[in-house]
Amino acid sequence: MIANHQFERILIDKSAVDRLENEILITRHIERYALVRKFAYGRVLDVACGVGYGTYLVAKNPDVKMITGVDLDKNSVEWAINNFNGKNIQFQCNTIENLHEEYDVLISLETIEHLQNPKILGELAKRCKIKEVIISFPHKKTTHYNPYHLWDIEEKDILVIFNEYICINKFYSGDSTFMHLIYWHRNKTPRKKYLETRSN
């Protein structure tokens, strides 16, 4: 890659473009976990953890007592165990439907658009008594070029799927929307102190 200042051009070939694009994609994957780990605490569930690098990053937050990375792919889980296991990290090969333990926080990044039935994440949150959900998904149409994306998810879809939760934080990074949801039940006070109604 050569910068030609005379004509304000960058001389670059296809292999360099492909290499840089791949590096950007990898960086974004890691960056997503680095962005959300500050919200994690207690017992955390990382759904579709892949090879485990994100689970490892979240575990660096001292507020995380234990994080469980779950993925359907056996080879990915084996890689995660061999490379990212730690004193507060565990991995398991499992399906979303088979998870029943209680967790404080559910992390699900760039996963919901892959699921045949996205509603199973909402069912998981309810079944496992999740207090907070941190979820991300593409904020643009992707189904027309990515064969692994089954849905073009919108923010309103997330609020329907997690209908017992409210969104307390929303932000964007790269091509992704991030939503931080907290369990909210009528006549019940949320866990977060700053969300409590103050009386005069």
Side-chain angles (χ1 to χ4, degrees):
M1 183 168 58
I2 302 173
N4 186 329
H5 298 292
Q6 182 181 358
F7 299 106
E8 295 186 356
R9 299 287 187 269
I10 295 176
L11 304 181
I12 188 170
D13 59 20
K14 287 195 294 185
S15 63
V17 170
D18 291 339
R19 186 186 73 254
L20 289 170
E21 181 185 31
N22 189 57
E23 290 175 1
I24 290 169
L25 289 174
I26 292 172
T27 299
R28 284 184 177 174
H29 277 280
I30 293 174
E31 185 181 44
R32 289 184 192 116
Y33 278 96
L35 285 170
V36 304
R37 66 180 169 187
K38 63 184 177 183
F39 303 115
Y41 66 91
R43 288 173 50 81
V44 180
L45 176 63
D46 180 17
V47 167
C49 67
V51 297
Y53 58 84
T55 310
Y56 165 74
L57 285 172
V58 175
K60 289 185 175 185
N61 181 340
D63 292 330
V64 173
K65 304 307 178 188
M66 174 61 68
I67 182 167
T68 302
V70 177
D71 202 276
L72 187 62
D73 183 66
K74 181 180 178 181
N75 291 332
S76 294
V77 173
E78 288 180 355
W79 180 280
I81 291 171
N82 291 332
N83 290 276
F84 296 109
N85 248 358
K87 63 179 182 179
N88 64 336
I89 306 172
Q90 60 183 7
F91 296 99
Q92 58 176 274
C93 185
N94 209 341
T95 64
I96 293 174
E97 294 88 342
N98 285 335
L99 298 172
H100 295 278
E101 292 185 40
E102 291 187 18
Y103 297 92
D104 296 301
V105 180
L106 167 63
I107 293 177
S108 176
L109 304 185
E110 309 299 299
T111 297
I112 194 167
E113 67 274 11
H114 294 260
L115 300 175
Q116 288 282 351
N117 178 14
K119 291 182 179 179
I120 63 173
L121 280 181
E123 294 166 359
L124 167 68
K126 184 175 182 179
R127 184 172 65 248
C128 294
K129 299 181 179 179
I130 302 291
K131 297 181 180 72
E132 301 188 31
V133 176
I134 303 163
I135 190 166
S136 77
F137 50 91
H139 63 224
K140 64 178 183 178
K141 181 178 174 61
T142 59
T143 52
H144 62 299
Y145 70 85
N146 190 327
Y148 301 105
H149 290 189
L150 305 181
W151 310 98
D152 293 310
I153 299 293
E154 298 180 20
E155 295 172 20
K156 62 182 180 181
D157 301 324
I158 299 299
L159 297 178
V160 171
I161 291 169
F162 297 95
N163 59 10
E164 294 187 345
Y165 294 75
I166 60 170
C167 181
I168 62 169
N169 189 18
K170 179 174 62 179
F171 57 94
Y172 308 93
S173 179
D175 294 330
S176 297
T177 296
F178 293 77
M179 295 178 72
H180 181 187
L181 310 168
I182 187 169
Y183 177 76
W184 182 278
H185 193 279
R186 192 173 298 169
N187 300 324
K188 286 189 178 180
T189 303
R191 187 191 67 84
K192 297 283 192 183
K193 288 289 184 184
Y194 57 79
L195 289 180
E196 293 180 1
T197 302
R198 291 185 177 180
S199 57
N200 295 328

